[in-house]
Amino acid sequence: MKSQNIIALLLLMAVSGLQAQKKQTITYFKNDTLSLQLNLFLPEKASAKKLPLVLYVHGGGFSGGDRSAGDSPSKFLAQNGYAAATLSYTLYAKNKKYSCDGALPEKIKAFQHAVNDLWLATSFFIDNQEKYNIDTSKIFITGVSAGGETVLHAAFWDFKLMNMYSNTLPGNFRYAGLISGAGAIMDLNLITAENKIPMMLFHGNGDQTVPYGTAAHHYCPTNATGWLMLFGSYSIYNDLIAKDGTVSLYTFCGGGHEYSGYLFEKDQKPMLDFLNDVMAGKKFQNHTIIPTGKKNALSAAYHFCD
């Protein structure tokens, strides 16, 4: 009996060791004032082919949240043949006013710091592509809420204009695609017919924090110091349709901001299907409407939910 217990303990230790190896915590950037980490998940079986990479940016209003929020979707993707990493980034809005009573330049700086950290993580994997067996032509970016806003701006902001560090990205670099949960972009004109990439967007059309359509951040009045116009998932979807882009929109009818992470946390298959379809070179334009049993004044404006 004693020997059986020892064998069981050894097996448990071996399994625990294998599980620990699935997740690596890596410092992807460090200077005199800043140290940034990520959790990397890789497929258990080594691949002869280079791996597509998915980077995840957590939510939290640029003031809170933690990279561990992305562990579940990252682990799921690693189990399905992807390298996946969830990032810590600069929470510039921490201890600052970030709603209607905030300062507009400070809001934009919060976006910029997060975007730059995502660019730093991208540069890290490009520089270390051989070490981690990464296919740098297949880097996808994903995020929820503030993370969704981050990936949208990382994909379409002018890198040379908005970069804050000495890192570089290849001149012809473009992300392979993005997934945004309850995200928005400051200017639809940033997305052009030439730079568009495949997108999966999901959003509650009753979201009172980040607009589903086009409205001010937090629906602030126009005289607010923190007034910032945003174009949410529905506006981006329609813009991509007009530009003949590849796009998939999931609308949670009546849903609020609580649905911002739903397809990362509770129903991960659509995320995997999107990535696999893009990898296969498929083009699609679809809108999936998901009832929630909720309704409010914002969602009532969208009659396809009736």
Side-chain angles (χ1 to χ4, degrees):
M1 189 72 175
K2 185 176 181 181
S3 61
Q4 289 178 335
N5 290 338
I6 292 172
I7 291 170
L9 179 61
L10 290 173
L11 285 172
L12 179 61
M13 291 173 65
V15 170
S16 298
L18 287 172
Q19 289 177 339
Q21 289 172 13
K22 296 177 188 176
K23 174 180 172 180
Q24 305 175 48
T25 299
I26 298 165
T27 297
Y28 69 87
F29 179 77
K30 187 170 184 173
N31 63 14
D32 291 341
T33 59
L34 184 63
S35 180
L36 296 169
Q37 287 74 43
L38 58 81
N39 295 341
L40 174 64
F41 294 79
L42 296 172
E44 288 186 57
K45 294 183 179 179
S47 173
K49 293 183 178 180
K50 298 256 184 204
L51 298 170
L53 171 67
V54 181
L55 301 176
Y56 180 93
V57 185
H58 67 78
F62 301 106
S63 63
D66 185 86
R67 68 177 183 271
S68 63
D71 281 355
S72 173
S74 297
K75 184 177 180 180
F76 172 77
L77 291 172
Q79 291 169 342
N80 286 277
Y82 289 80
T86 175
L87 319 178
S88 292
Y89 60 94
T90 303
L91 301 176
Y92 184 81
K94 189 173 183 178
N95 299 321
K96 293 183 174 71
K97 293 180 178 179
Y98 189 67
S99 189
C100 300
D101 58 348
L104 179 56
E106 292 292 278
K107 280 191 174 184
I108 295 172
K109 283 183 182 178
F111 278 63
Q112 188 178 12
H113 276 273
V115 167
N116 270 265
D117 293 349
L118 179 52
W119 284 339
L120 287 170
T122 304
S123 296
F124 171 84
F125 280 108
I126 291 174
D127 292 343
N128 291 277
Q129 58 186 282
E130 297 301 327
K131 181 176 181 180
Y132 298 108
N133 196 33
I134 301 299
D135 184 340
T136 58
S137 69
K138 298 172 182 174
I139 300 178
F140 295 85
I141 48 177
T142 67
V144 53
S145 189
E149 293 165 345
T150 298
V151 301
L152 284 161
H153 290 85
F156 301 110
W157 259 348
D158 184 324
F159 177 80
K160 291 182 179 179
L161 180 66
M162 302 302 287
N163 188 34
M164 300 165 59
Y165 298 98
S166 60
N167 66 306
T168 59
L169 291 174
N172 62 347
F173 177 79
R174 186 176 297 178
Y175 290 107
L178 68 80
I179 303 175
S180 168
I185 196 166
M186 295 182 197
D187 185 359
L188 276 179
N189 293 315
L190 293 170
I191 306 170
T192 68
E194 291 72 34
N195 71 6
K196 67 181 186 291
I197 60 175
M199 296 189 208
M200 173 180 162
L201 311 165
F202 61 94
H203 213 136
N205 64 2
D207 194 328
Q208 299 184 48
T209 302
V210 179
Y212 168 78
T214 299
H217 182 229
H218 288 194
Y219 291 84
C220 297
T222 53
N223 66 343
T225 57
W227 184 89
L228 172 65
M229 183 61 72
L230 289 175
F231 299 84
S233 299
Y234 188 61
S235 297
I236 297 169
Y237 168 78
N238 286 320
D239 186 66
L240 261 291
I241 295 293
K243 292 182 169 76
D244 195 30
T246 294
V247 61
S248 181
L249 172 65
Y250 291 78
T251 296
F252 291 91
C253 282
H257 203 62
E258 69 273 12
Y259 286 90
S260 60
Y262 193 92
L263 296 183
F264 290 123
E265 300 158 5
K266 297 182 180 180
D267 184 9
Q268 297 168 332
K269 188 176 182 298
M271 169 180 63
L272 180 62
D273 290 343
F274 167 80
L275 295 169
N276 286 342
D277 285 347
V278 173
M279 292 277 291
K282 294 181 181 180
K283 181 174 179 178
F284 46 86
Q285 296 177 339
N286 50 60
H287 184 188
T288 302
I289 297 169
I290 303 170
T292 66
K294 301 178 181 181
K295 195 168 185 178
N296 61 30
L298 294 175
S299 64
Y302 299 95
H303 299 294
F304 52 74
C305 284
D306 293 341

